[in-house]
Amino acid sequence: MTTMATTPGENGSGRNWTFLTNHGHVLLAIARNPTARLRDVADEVGVTERAAQAIVADLEAGGYLRRTRVGRRNEYTINPSGHFRHPAEADQQVGALLALFTTAPVAEPVTES
């Protein structure tokens, strides 16, 4: 499991926090490896497999990714044109964030007719 950086609090106690949410980390992990098993995504992000499943369901419902069954595995397609959910960043697309943290280009969204 991945460990998080610790920053000292006002009273000297350590508090764990990161700039990206678990949803962001899961989306990045899937963008890096679209055929990854959720157990591996969960391990990379540092969450339980059940939490990873719930996050993927949230991302699917929000239109940020699509899951396709390929044999016994799932393959994920990222929608880089999805916008951030927070009003302060709602004018920005998640593809820009993915481009910062991934080396491979993220697939363009598939439009259904």
Side-chain angles (χ1 to χ4, degrees), residues 2-112:
T2 305
T3 58
M4 290 192 293
T6 302
T7 56
E10 287 182 34
N11 60 2
S13 67
R15 287 184 38 193
N16 291 332
W17 63 275
T18 63
F19 281 104
L20 299 178
T21 66
N22 287 338
H23 282 66
H25 287 292
V26 167
L27 190 63
L28 286 170
I30 289 172
R32 290 182 190 120
N33 185 0
T35 59
R37 296 177 305 170
L38 280 184
R39 126 180 0 147
D40 297 328
V41 170
D43 190 47
E44 180 180 336
V45 173
V47 297
T48 64
E49 190 172 347
R50 178 170 265 180
Q53 290 171 344
I55 290 169
V56 166
D58 288 346
L59 293 170
E60 270 190 292
Y64 295 97
L65 63 81
R66 188 181 71 217
R67 180 180 3 199
T68 306
R69 193 78 171 161
V70 179
R72 295 176 54 194
R73 306 274 304 256
N74 288 319
E75 186 170 316
Y76 301 93
T77 304
I78 304 287
N79 176 8
S81 63
H83 288 266
F84 285 94
R85 294 172 50 96
H86 193 280
E89 296 90 26
D91 61 330
Q92 299 294 315
Q93 296 179 337
V94 297
L97 175 73
L98 297 172
L100 287 174
F101 292 101
T102 59
T103 55
V106 177
E108 288 299 315
V110 178
T111 56
E112 297 182 21

